[in-house]
Amino acid sequence: MSTHAHSRLRLRDLHLAQGHRMVLEHIEGDVRPGAITALIGPNGAGKSTLIQAIMGELRPVSGKVECSIARERRAWLPQQLALDLSFPMSVEELVMTGTWPSHGAFKGYCEAHYRKGRDIMARLGISHLAHRQLGELSGGQRQRALIGRTLMQEAELLLLDEPFANVDRDTIDILVRILRQMADDGMTILIVLHDMDHLRRLADEVLMLNAGHGQWLAPSALQQPMASANLMSFDTAGGRHVGTA
């Protein structure tokens, strides 16, 4: 189990259900700040259920989530399939919405906000897309814009659901670099992963969910051929890039 004295996110004997079905039981551990924790497991294992509980959107049956990070500093990056691409919004507008949790949605932006937004888009290599509509972007371009929104938010807790699904190699490399920088700056990051290569490149710790329970692992424990094969089998259980319970 992961235990860290200064953790800002702690799971305490957590029991979670969807409707009348118990999904997870006895989930325990501390998510370390300044590190990237990979959340893995087969489809239906409870990854999205756990994220809902951490975000305060699902009340535990018993146990609790202890999070000292203010709600306006918690960011959730869902799968791109959850986006409504018909909504008229540009890349710059999406990035700027990162100010809403702390600044409000109706106050307007000052020059400092716009300057910060431009800096973030440049960092992500999407400055030339600032006025492009989201529906006109590739999957990789949209994912960079979504990460830009979390940078604008100055989030201290970041939860991501398969951020590398359906994106190009250049975007993967940029996101890996940005996420590592965010962790090095002290952010608490929990990321749903299915790909062993991405796990090797990113994960400092691993929480594996299966059969209603959780197990904390060191990434090195998944380097063995049998463990890697088991993880890869998760990818094809029910389809690789679909929503998980």
Side-chain angles (χ1 to χ4, degrees):
M1 180 194 305
S2 176
T3 55
H4 300 280
H6 302 294
S7 175
R8 302 181 68 189
L9 174 60
R10 298 180 173 183
L11 312 176
R12 293 290 175 256
D13 196 23
L14 201 57
H15 291 64
L16 300 173
Q18 294 283 4
H20 298 293
R21 181 176 69 91
M22 187 65 70
V23 177
L24 293 170
E25 298 179 294
H26 304 294
I27 303 299
E28 182 88 21
D30 296 354
V31 181
R32 180 159 55 104
I36 297 175
T37 299
L39 184 60
I40 67 173
N43 287 338
K47 300 184 293 295
S48 293
T49 295
L50 179 58
I51 287 174
Q52 286 177 326
I54 291 172
M55 289 299 290
E57 297 175 357
L58 179 67
R59 183 185 297 273
V61 175
S62 62
K64 59 183 177 179
V65 175
E66 297 177 353
C67 186
S68 63
I69 298 170
R71 286 187 179 274
E72 63 268 20
R73 297 302 179 194
R74 304 179 198 178
W76 160 230
L77 188 66
Q79 294 184 35
Q80 290 197 49
L81 293 175
L83 290 177
D84 180 3
L85 299 181
S86 66
F87 187 80
M89 178 176 284
S90 70
V91 168
E92 182 179 50
E93 288 169 337
L94 176 64
V95 170
M96 297 300 290
T97 63
T99 66
W100 288 6
S102 58
H103 179 70
F106 302 106
K107 292 184 178 179
Y109 307 122
C110 65
E111 178 54 35
H113 287 140
Y114 283 111
R115 184 166 54 250
K116 180 180 176 182
R118 288 192 294 269
D119 289 344
I120 288 171
M121 288 187 288
R123 183 178 173 188
L124 290 164
I126 54 174
S127 297
H128 62 295
L129 302 172
H131 303 297
R132 189 82 62 84
Q133 296 294 301
L134 297 182
E136 300 173 1
L137 305 178
S138 69
Q141 291 167 341
R142 274 195 299 274
Q143 202 69 307
R144 295 191 207 188
L146 287 165
I147 288 289
R149 179 177 63 180
T150 68
L151 290 169
M152 194 73 186
Q153 184 179 341
E154 298 183 343
E156 298 172 20
L157 169 64
L158 177 58
L159 310 176
L160 307 100
D161 192 353
E162 300 186 52
F164 306 120
N166 304 315
V167 302
D168 57 275
R169 173 57 60 180
D170 286 345
T171 293
I172 290 173
D173 291 341
I174 289 173
L175 295 186
V176 166
R177 173 174 53 82
I178 293 294
L179 289 171
R180 175 50 57 194
Q181 291 172 352
M182 295 164 88
D184 291 345
D185 289 339
M187 183 182 289
T188 299
I189 299 177
L190 185 65
I191 178 171
V192 176
L193 291 176
H194 284 90
D195 187 285
M196 271 302 296
D197 180 57
H198 299 155
L199 188 146
R200 290 188 188 101
R201 295 180 67 184
L202 270 176
D204 300 304
E205 297 188 330
V206 178
L207 174 56
M208 182 169 64
L209 303 180
N210 198 18
H213 297 277
Q215 179 182 5
W216 289 91
L217 301 167
S220 58
L222 294 168
Q223 302 303 313
Q224 303 301 320
M226 182 60 70
S228 297
N230 288 339
L231 178 58
M232 292 306 294
S233 72
F234 295 163
D235 294 350
T236 56
R240 174 166 177 171
H241 291 307
V242 297
T244 52

